[in-house]
């Protein structure tokens, strides 16, 4: 029976067809196991739900008086929102005293509203609003009311985050229209 049984099953135990079949099945099962083990690892690289929740920040502008500043958090960073007065807008109309000249018109969507990241471009400190702009007391960098660098070691202007006006009194930070 051993001889007849092995012939009915596809030949002798040492037969190459059976060995190839077992190698292929083992390879497929092993590959599926490796793929299944990689799924949690790859999934861990996706942003967490709390990060996704902070990807966009909605800000109501109605409570910010002319000349006032509101600081909000976006992706764990401070964002300065300034309701600029006509005098402030006039004072930033020239780029003469800036180290990284960029016209104010390119930095704002509406002249009366400035939205910039509140992170110094030198070492990542948070500058303080003082007079006509911001001062980073850690290393002495100064920025004007458009967030442009006017003095100090900072290499460039305060960054303008992506944002858009969802309504006349509401902006969404983190996404462009």
């Amino acid at each position: 029976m051993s001889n007849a049984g092995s012939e009915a099953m596809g030949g002798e135990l040492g037969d190459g067809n059976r060995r190839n079949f077992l190698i292929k099945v083992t390879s497929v099962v092993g590959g599926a196991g490796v793929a299944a083990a990689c799924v949690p690892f790859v999934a861990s690289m996706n942003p967490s739900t709390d990060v996704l929740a902070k990807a966009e920040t909605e800000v109501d502008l109605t409570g910010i008086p002319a000349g006032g500043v509101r600081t909000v958090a976006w992706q764990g960073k401070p964002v300065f929102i300034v309701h600029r007065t006509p005098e402030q807008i006039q004072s930033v109309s020239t780029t003469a005293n800036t180290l990284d000249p960029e016209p104010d018109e390119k930095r704002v969507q509406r002249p009366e509203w400035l939205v910039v990241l509140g992170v110094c471009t030198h070492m990542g400190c948070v500058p303080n609003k003082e007079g006509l702009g911001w001062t980073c007391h850690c290393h002495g960098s100064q920025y004007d009311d458009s967030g442009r660098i006017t003095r100090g070691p900072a290499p460039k202007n305060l960054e303008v985050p992506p944002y858009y006006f969802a309504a006349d009194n509401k902006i969404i930070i983190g996404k462009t229209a």
Side-chain angles (χ1 to χ4, degrees):
M1 176 161 140
S2 65
N3 212 4
S6 65
E7 288 178 14
M9 302 274 301
E12 296 183 18
L13 292 177
D15 187 37
N17 290 335
R18 184 177 218 183
R19 182 177 299 129
N20 289 340
F21 173 76
L22 289 174
I23 288 172
K24 288 177 185 177
V25 168
T26 304
S27 299
V28 168
V29 170
V34 168
C38 288
V39 167
F41 175 72
V42 172
S44 72
M45 291 187 225
N46 290 330
S48 61
T49 54
D50 61 334
V51 170
L52 290 175
K54 294 178 183 178
E56 294 179 9
T57 300
E58 182 177 308
V59 181
D60 182 14
L61 303 174
T62 55
I64 307 173
V69 180
R70 179 179 293 166
T71 303
V72 298
W74 172 66
Q75 294 185 344
K77 297 178 242 176
V79 176
F80 299 148
I81 302 170
V82 184
H83 189 177
R84 300 189 301 182
T85 64
E87 294 80 22
Q88 287 173 317
I89 295 169
Q90 179 62 37
S91 73
V92 296
S93 63
T94 179
T95 61
N97 296 327
T98 60
L99 302 176
D100 182 11
E102 181 179 16
D104 184 60
E105 299 81 32
K106 287 189 173 188
R107 298 184 55 75
V108 296
Q109 294 180 18
R110 296 183 185 171
E112 67 274 14
W113 293 105
L114 174 70
V115 180
V116 292
L117 285 180
V119 177
C120 180
T121 57
H122 175 239
M123 295 290 287
C125 307
V126 178
N128 298 320
K129 179 76 171 127
E130 293 180 1
L132 297 174
W134 290 271
T135 302
C136 179
H137 291 286
C138 299
H139 304 103
S141 295
Q142 289 186 334
Y143 301 90
D144 67 5
D145 271 332
S146 185
R148 298 176 298 202
I149 182 71
T150 58
R151 190 184 80 154
K156 55 186 179 172
N157 302 328
L158 293 177
E159 185 180 340
V160 177
Y163 73 97
Y164 71 96
F165 282 86
D168 283 342
N169 60 351
K170 186 186 301 182
I171 63 170
I172 308 294
I173 302 172
K175 184 174 157 184
T176 56

